[in-house]
Amino acid sequence: MRVKDSIEVALELNEKSVYSHIAHESAEDIKRIISSMDAERAKLRGEVVYHQDDWDALIRERIRKGKRHTAFDFYNPLLLDIWEKKVKEAKKALKFIKYSIGIVTLFIGATIVITMVSGYPAILLGLGIAPILLFIVDYSKEKADLAYYELVQFFIHELKGIIERFQLNSKEYKVKLYNRDYDGVEFDRSGKAIVK
C-alpha cells in the first residue's frame, strides 16, 4: 500500500475543487441556455415572455475576448456546434416564413394589377394560393418549434449529466421553463423546473 504525501493530497484536493467550480459554472451556463431557448420557443408559440438574456451576444463576446466558455470547453466542446446548428435551423425556418409572405403578397399584388389592366379575373388565381401561405407559415413554425424543443431537451439531459457526474445539488440549478412538455424535469411550487 502506497501512502500519499501531503503535497499529493493537496494537489488532488485543489484539482477536485477546481473541477467542482468549473462544473458549477458549466451547469449555470447550461441553465441559462435552457431558459433562453425555451423563452424563444414560447415567443414562437405566441406567449408574452419578458425573458431577457442575450445568450448569443454573450457567447460571441466571450469568444472574441478569448475567454474559456466553461460549458463548451470544459464539459463538452461539441455542445457549441449542436447548439449553433439547431438555432440556425430554427432561424432558417422563421426566415422562410418572411420570404413566403413577401412572395405570396407580391404574387397577389401582381394578379390585382393584371385584373385591373386586362379585366380578366386573375385575382382569383392570386387568392387561390393564399391557403398555401397558411400551410407554409404553420409548417415553418412547427419546424422551428421542434428545433427549439430538441435543443432544450438536449440541454436538459446535458444538465442532468453534469449534475450527476460532479455530484452537484440539482435544486441549486432550477430552470425557468415556459413550456411544460419536457422529459426529465419536475416543477416546484414556484413554477421553476428541477432536473430529476
Side-chain angles (χ1 to χ4, degrees), residues 10-188:
L11 286 172
E12 281 182 12
L13 289 173
N14 286 341
E15 186 177 83
K16 285 177 184 174
S17 68
V18 166
Y19 282 146
S20 175
H21 175 69
I22 295 173
H24 166 72
E25 286 186 359
S26 297
E28 286 291 333
D29 286 350
I30 291 172
K31 185 177 95 168
R32 284 181 64 191
I33 291 169
I34 290 169
S35 294
S36 182
M37 292 296 101
D38 188 59
E40 289 299 317
R41 183 173 178 228
K43 288 176 191 173
L44 182 65
R45 292 174 153 214
E47 294 180 38
V48 178
V49 175
Y50 296 105
H51 183 89
Q52 291 200 347
D53 187 357
D54 194 349
W55 188 250
D56 286 327
L58 177 65
I59 192 168
R60 297 292 162 254
E61 185 71 16
R62 285 188 183 186
I63 290 169
R64 189 176 61 77
K65 289 182 177 178
K67 291 186 177 178
R68 285 177 58 85
H69 189 285
T70 55
F72 301 123
D73 294 333
F74 165 72
Y75 178 60
N76 186 349
L78 292 176
L79 293 180
L80 180 58
D81 295 334
I82 293 166
W83 177 40
E84 285 184 335
K85 182 182 174 191
K86 281 292 179 186
V87 169
K88 281 180 186 175
E89 188 181 312
K91 288 182 178 179
K92 187 177 177 183
L94 296 175
K95 278 184 185 175
F96 188 67
I97 292 173
K98 291 178 184 176
Y99 294 142
S100 300
I101 291 171
I103 290 168
V104 170
T105 303
L106 285 174
F107 185 75
I108 291 172
T111 58
I112 291 171
V113 171
I114 292 170
T115 299
M116 290 170 62
V117 171
S118 69
Y120 183 76
I123 191 168
L124 296 176
L125 181 63
L127 294 175
I129 67 161
I132 294 172
L133 180 63
L134 295 174
F135 170 77
I136 290 171
V137 169
D138 192 44
Y139 173 78
S140 297
K141 278 189 175 181
E142 286 294 321
K143 191 173 178 182
D145 182 71
L146 180 62
Y148 282 128
Y149 171 81
E150 289 173 343
L151 189 61
V152 171
Q153 189 66 65
F154 174 77
F155 276 105
I156 286 170
H157 289 302
E158 290 296 317
L159 181 58
K160 180 180 180 181
I162 205 168
I163 286 170
E164 289 174 353
R165 181 175 169 193
F166 294 97
Q167 299 172 348
L168 302 173
N169 182 358
S170 62
K171 291 183 180 177
E172 290 180 22
Y173 304 98
K174 293 180 182 178
V175 181
K176 176 66 178 166
L177 290 177
Y178 301 91
N179 299 286
R180 292 184 172 241
D181 57 350
Y182 300 108
D183 294 326
V185 293
E186 58 186 28
F187 291 86
D188 65 8

